[in-house]
Amino acid sequence: MTIDPIIAAALRVLLALLFAAAVAHKVADFAAFRIVLHDYHLLPLAMVTPATAIVIATEIGLAAALPWPATGSTAAWAAVALLAIYSFGIAINLLRGRRTLECGCAPSTYRQPLSEWLLARNAVSIAAAFALTLPHAPRALAWLDAVTFAGMVAAGSAAWVATQQLLALAPRVAVRGAS
Amino acid sequence: MTTALAVSVAVLWVAVGVLAIVVLALARQVGVLHERVAPAGALLTRAGPAVGDRAPVLDLRTFDGVALTVGGVSVAARRTLLFFLSPSCPVCKTVLPTLLSVAAGETPAIDVVLASDGRPEEHAALAAEFRAKALPYVLSTELGLAYQVAKLPYAVLIDADGVVRAKGIVNTREHVESLIEAERLGVASIQDYVASVEKREVASVTGGRA
């Protein structure tokens, strides 16, 4: 199985933007992210601060390495692994029934408690990252490919932001609706 | 070029699919919000002339000494919105922009009259502001007593025939607009409106089952 070079290019940029946005809010509020990571109850207390630093360093590395064809496919495997670890952490806490736990996926203004939707959203990201590990099918590029690339990046980022907003609003809509 | 077109179309279909899901989720959230947001309305109080009664006719003088009659059949066939306020009431000030837009923008037109009481010097600054906006400002204890205004900000809508059409405590733009809306729909207050809608819904549900 192969992947089209334009789709691969757009996916690389989208995933790089995703990790850049994710790491930006973690760096901006390092203390808050440490608390979130601790709240997941997956690591002993002494490990939380080093783990926070490792997560931030990995995300910076991914954001920097993903856009380039030379480093993209190696970075894509790392992205699959990192996103799988996130999904694992979310799934364990969902099994523990901790649905009020803050995800830590987005700036604290979009508070997102854990839900299955986060797993679905992560699955889409993992699929995108996995697609990047496939070999490219080289072909002659036409002007239309520039439009496809720009449109895919723009629509993809907008859809991502919309999903963030919807996931942040969903619990408020549902909880108050039930009361 | 054919491959580029095929890739482009495939990407577009994926985008359409993602957008459709986002729109569905949005529509659902909007629907839930719509169900939840009850109409906001002015709180009706039982004191003073009831809705449907003739408004007491009072000959008053504005802050600037101009004669002003409140109540009775309007010569210009215009409605009057009486707004009771006080310079020491912060909520009253937040409602003032709404009154200006009511005075300027309603069709058919509404005369807005601002009413308060107390010593003139306390009101000088506020009255000057409304002189600039050409809204009459009345200082009259008599007016407040006639409508038994107990809480501020309070508003009364009188129609062109001098009949009280709506009244209540107004804290927001929605409350002021609810008075005008209540007159338009011919209901006494938003509380009456909600009650009548609920009655209609119950009737349609039971009617459907019978």
Side-chain angles (χ1 to χ4, degrees):
Chain A
M1 221 178 131
T2 55
I3 183 169
D4 188 80
I6 284 301
I7 293 183
L11 284 181
R12 276 202 305 268
V13 171
L14 279 172
L15 280 173
L17 284 174
L18 179 103
F19 284 112
V23 82
H25 86 84
K26 288 177 181 117
V27 171
D29 204 345
F30 185 83
F33 182 61
R34 255 192 78 228
I35 293 167
V36 167
L37 202 60
H38 175 250
D39 273 348
Y40 269 83
H41 290 186
L42 294 170
L43 295 168
L45 191 57
M47 295 277 286
V48 169
T49 307
T52 312
I54 291 170
V55 164
I56 289 176
T58 314
E59 289 194 342
I60 291 176
L62 285 175
L66 271 168
W68 319 111
T71 48
S73 71
T74 318
W77 280 116
V80 170
L82 186 66
L83 289 167
I85 292 171
Y86 289 169
S87 290
F88 177 72
I90 293 171
I92 282 193
N93 279 291
L94 280 176
L95 288 176
R96 289 171 178 168
R98 302 179 65 208
R99 280 167 187 280
T100 53
L101 188 61
E102 165 63 20
C103 162
C105 317
S108 42
T109 43
Y110 297 104
R111 287 185 51 83
Q112 299 178 348
L114 296 190
S115 73
E116 282 80 6
W117 292 107
L118 287 170
L119 289 180
R121 192 190 63 177
N122 267 14
V124 172
S125 314
I126 290 175
F130 184 74
L132 287 179
T133 64
L134 299 173
H136 292 192
R139 66 176 171 87
L141 296 182
W143 63 268
L144 186 62
D145 289 313
V147 180
T148 309
F149 174 80
M152 205 175 149
V153 171
S157 349
W160 183 262
V161 174
T163 317
Q164 296 272 63
Q165 290 260 29
L166 285 171
L167 284 175
L169 282 172
R172 286 202 273 171
V173 169
V175 170
R176 287 184 51 204
S179 65
Chain B
M1 189 67 189
T2 322
T3 323
L5 261 179
V7 168
S8 178
V9 169
V11 166
L12 284 175
W13 274 115
V14 171
V16 167
V18 170
L19 285 180
I21 292 168
V22 169
V23 169
L24 277 178
L26 267 179
R28 200 184 150 273
Q29 288 193 353
V30 169
V32 173
L33 289 178
H34 187 76
E35 284 286 300
R36 194 178 308 146
V37 177
L43 182 64
L44 183 68
T45 55
R46 295 289 163 205
V51 170
D53 285 2
R54 297 220 150 262
V57 182
L58 298 169
D59 290 313
L60 307 167
R61 283 201 174 275
T62 68
F63 197 79
D64 300 323
V66 182
L68 178 79
T69 304
V70 172
V73 177
S74 160
V75 184
R78 283 159 74 101
R79 296 170 290 170
T80 306
L81 182 71
L82 276 177
F83 182 72
F84 294 90
L85 77 167
S86 150
S88 60
C89 150
V91 183
C92 300
K93 295 195 177 81
T94 65
V95 181
L96 294 177
T98 309
L99 296 172
L100 293 175
S101 73
V102 166
E106 281 296 324
T107 350
I110 296 182
D111 290 325
V112 175
V113 174
L114 302 148
S116 192
D117 64 357
R119 290 181 305 164
E121 54 269 28
E122 292 167 1
H123 296 268
L126 208 52
E129 192 181 319
F130 289 105
R131 193 180 304 130
K133 307 280 199 293
L135 294 187
Y137 195 98
V138 178
L139 283 190
S140 163
T141 311
E142 197 190 353
L143 188 60
L145 284 174
Y147 289 95
Q148 300 194 23
V149 177
K151 288 197 168 62
L152 294 175
Y154 192 87
V156 179
L157 182 65
I158 304 167
D159 72 6
D161 297 327
V163 176
V164 174
R165 282 299 168 196
K167 60 173 190 168
I169 298 163
V170 287
N171 287 326
T172 63
R173 171 177 285 273
E174 285 75 18
H175 293 167
V176 176
E177 286 170 351
S178 81
L179 295 179
I180 299 165
E181 211 40 28
E183 190 221 359
R184 192 177 69 79
L185 297 171
V187 291
S189 70
I190 201 80
Q191 289 96 322
D192 280 6
Y193 175 74
V194 170
S196 76
V197 168
E198 277 169 2
K199 210 182 289 171
R200 215 182 310 146
E201 279 173 358
V202 168
S204 72
V205 167
T206 50
R209 282 183 188 153

